[in-house]
Amino acid sequence: MKILVLNCGSSSVKFQYIETDLEKIDRNQDRLLARGLVEKVGTQEAVASCQAGERASRDVGVDLPDHRAAIAKVISMLQSTGVLADPGEIEAVGHRVVHGGDFQTSQLITPQVLKKVEDAVELAPLHNPHNLKGYTVCRELFPDRAQVAVFDTAFHQTMPARAYLYALPYDYFRRHRIRRYGFHGTSHRYVAYRFRQLAERSKEETNLITCHLGNGCSITAILHGRSVDTSMGFTPLEGLVMGTRPGDLDPAIVLHLMAKFEMSPHEVSTLLNRHSGLVGISGESNDMRLVLESARQGHERARRAVESFCYRIRKYIGAYTAVLGQVHALIFTGGIGENAPRIRELSCEGLSWLGYELDRTKNEKAVGVEAEISISSSRTCIYAIPTNEELLIARDTYRTIEGIEPV
Ligand code: ADP
């Protein structure tokens, strides 16, 4: 099945065109036909690029006033790079949707599903409205094609109440849906599946801790294939230290900032979402490459940023080891997890007594590739596995349409 995967943000459309089916999934041989990005949507200076095998298309300064124009541009780039003769060849569309409320799995978008996703807009006001624009446009462009929503939150719906409840008065959960949801579920699920495929292990015999370290960072405890705890919460602010977000924080700090500096909710939100984390501590950048380089050159705040980042990961690895009891593998993924051996090293430092022993040489070599990076006698094996959320969205789209259980 040929599937267009769309990830629509406020001013961008990321896309991949993927061919998949059951046999290809089993053999990990799905075909990436094309991928690309449209940026600065809503301006007259949009930038659109598409790579299809050897053929590429790139346009700078295009007038793309809205997502409709942007998606039309995606289709025309797929045609001009030769992967699509006719738009009718697209058999289905898979959408990344950040918040799926209480949906546990990906969903064929029907009016009832759409209503529930719209209900979840209040839980993810910065993301869901844009994700839904992709659906609305595709419904017009391909009225007879199935469209599937793949949610970042769905994988974590298996968390038990003790993990997802905040210890607030119960009505805030019951009436206002204030609870931990967790995000990055598509990535955690993808690397968990890929590990089981590589290690030839079944879901039932595998417990994992998966660390997604990108601009946003989260860590998940997976028991027999089901998420039982994850570090992000009601929003993606909770948990690990991130590029621009602080992760776990005493909520009284927010009250203090509002009382003492008369900061508005909007100002506090900007502080917590844009100016904290790596960039906040280092004062330099949210890009881990730059922060690591500064730390190496002896910049004190950059060093502290790296240490805080890794220390928080270590704490969560310890906590999730306690949650799971027995852990078969610890997996690093995301831009940092896949490419930064130093961060993996510091995140596992001092954890050998818990069963996590990195192999220095293997770790150094594993950059952007799938690799086992622990010593052979490590009680828990450690892996780096590049994530592939778009591929998982394509596979889920296929499975949902065919009525096949997700893995
Ligand atoms: P997103 O969460 O936006 O998808 P990514 O998963 O691409 O982000 O991760 C972005 C992060 O990965 C950035 O902090 C970037 O500095 C970091 N990164 C990418 N390559 C490297 C590298 N070689 N070494 C260290 N960090 C890296």
Side-chain angles (χ1 to χ4, degrees):
M1 184 180 282
K2 288 183 177 170
I3 295 165
L4 178 64
V5 175
L6 290 180
N7 180 352
C8 293
S10 58
S11 64
S12 67
V13 177
K14 274 192 209 157
F15 66 95
Q16 289 196 11
Y17 188 41
I18 294 174
E19 185 172 14
T20 189
D21 59 36
L22 216 45
E23 200 182 313
K24 290 190 175 67
I25 296 172
D26 279 346
R27 297 182 175 186
N28 201 40
Q29 285 178 349
D30 322 64
R31 287 179 64 209
L32 173 62
L33 303 171
R35 68 189 308 165
L37 174 65
V38 186
E39 292 171 285
K40 298 192 189 172
V41 176
T43 73
Q44 295 181 333
E45 290 151 17
V47 180
S49 58
C50 176
Q51 184 79 39
E54 300 289 287
R55 303 189 63 176
S57 151
R58 183 173 158 82
D59 284 311
V60 180
V62 202
D63 182 10
L64 297 176
D66 52 24
H67 282 74
R68 191 177 200 297
I71 293 172
K73 179 71 187 167
V74 169
I75 306 297
S76 83
M77 288 193 294
L78 289 174
Q79 289 179 299
S80 67
T81 49
V83 284
L84 195 64
D86 183 289
E89 290 166 18
I90 296 173
E91 296 176 77
V93 187
H95 299 271
R96 180 209 179 191
V97 179
V98 167
H99 216 302
D102 57 7
F103 279 125
Q104 291 203 9
T105 54
S106 302
Q107 298 289 317
L108 187 67
I109 309 182
T110 60
Q112 292 86 339
V113 168
L114 187 61
K115 165 87 179 56
K116 287 187 96 174
V117 178
E118 283 167 348
D119 284 348
V121 163
E122 64 171 13
L123 301 172
L126 301 179
H127 294 100
N128 271 29
H130 307 296
N131 304 154
L132 285 174
K133 277 184 201 155
Y135 165 72
T136 315
V137 171
C138 290
R139 191 177 52 186
E140 279 174 38
L141 291 177
F142 317 105
D144 58 347
R145 289 296 186 248
Q147 298 199 54
V148 172
V150 180
F151 308 105
D152 285 19
T153 51
F155 182 52
H156 302 300
Q157 279 292 309
T158 48
M159 281 193 284
R162 60 176 179 264
Y164 71 65
L165 277 181
Y166 289 110
L168 292 167
Y170 202 69
D171 257 9
Y172 286 88
F173 161 63
R174 202 165 41 193
R175 295 176 54 164
H176 306 295
R177 301 196 284 173
I178 295 179
R179 51 159 284 177
R180 308 184 63 254
Y181 289 96
F183 298 85
H184 288 148
T186 318
S187 176
H188 291 290
R189 223 179 103 206
Y190 174 80
V191 294
Y193 173 74
R194 186 64 189 136
F195 168 77
R196 294 196 302 266
Q197 206 172 31
L198 289 168
E200 298 184 1
R201 294 184 75 104
S202 73
K203 254 187 193 183
E204 290 63 36
E205 59 179 1
T206 313
N207 296 341
L208 300 170
I209 296 178
T210 50
C211 304
H212 177 103
L213 311 176
N215 272 317
C217 302
S218 67
I219 178 164
T220 296
I222 304 176
L223 182 79
H224 306 158
R226 294 155 71 89
S227 168
V228 289
D229 206 345
T230 191
S231 57
M232 283 178 166
F234 179 61
T235 74
L237 264 182
E238 196 180 339
L240 300 178
V241 176
M242 312 184 208
T244 58
R245 289 170 254 167
D248 294 336
L249 194 74
D250 181 343
I253 294 171
V254 171
L255 306 177
H256 181 74
L257 293 174
M258 295 176 95
K260 181 157 179 159
F261 304 110
E262 295 182 355
M263 287 174 84
S264 67
H266 177 72
E267 286 169 327
V268 178
S269 170
T270 305
L271 179 86
L272 298 179
N273 281 295
R274 293 175 192 262
H275 302 305
S276 301
L278 290 177
V279 71
I281 301 181
S282 72
E284 292 209 331
S285 173
N286 63 324
D287 186 322
M288 184 56 99
R289 282 166 291 207
L290 302 179
V291 180
L292 274 173
E293 181 51 27
S294 284
R296 208 182 55 78
Q297 289 176 8
H299 188 301
E300 177 60 15
R301 281 175 58 182
R303 198 181 57 74
R304 287 188 174 193
V306 170
E307 279 186 356
S308 301
F309 185 91
C310 298
Y311 175 71
R312 187 80 55 86
I313 296 169
R314 272 202 317 269
K315 275 212 302 202
Y316 269 94
I317 293 174
Y320 287 173
T321 304
V323 164
L324 293 170
Q326 184 185 19
V327 186
H328 299 100
L330 168 66
I331 300 169
F332 288 96
T333 192
I336 299 172
E338 294 161 20
N339 297 302
R342 177 76 181 139
I343 298 298
R344 296 189 299 241
E345 185 188 331
L346 290 173
S347 301
C348 294
E349 200 173 67
L351 294 185
S352 55
W353 66 279
L354 257 188
Y356 302 96
E357 293 188 77
L358 265 189
D359 180 310
R360 268 180 160 252
T361 316
K362 286 187 198 165
N363 183 41
E364 287 297 327
K365 274 199 208 149
V367 175
V369 293
E370 288 177 342
E372 184 173 358
I373 54 175
S374 45
I375 61 171
S376 55
S377 59
S378 179
R379 208 158 61 235
T380 301
C381 56
I382 310 174
Y383 271 70
I385 300 183
T387 194
N388 197 337
E389 291 163 277
E390 290 78 9
L391 180 57
L392 193 109
I393 293 172
R395 288 173 173 179
D396 258 26
T397 301
Y398 166 75
R399 286 197 191 97
T400 305
I401 292 169
E402 297 289 321
I404 302 167
E405 276 280 298
V407 286

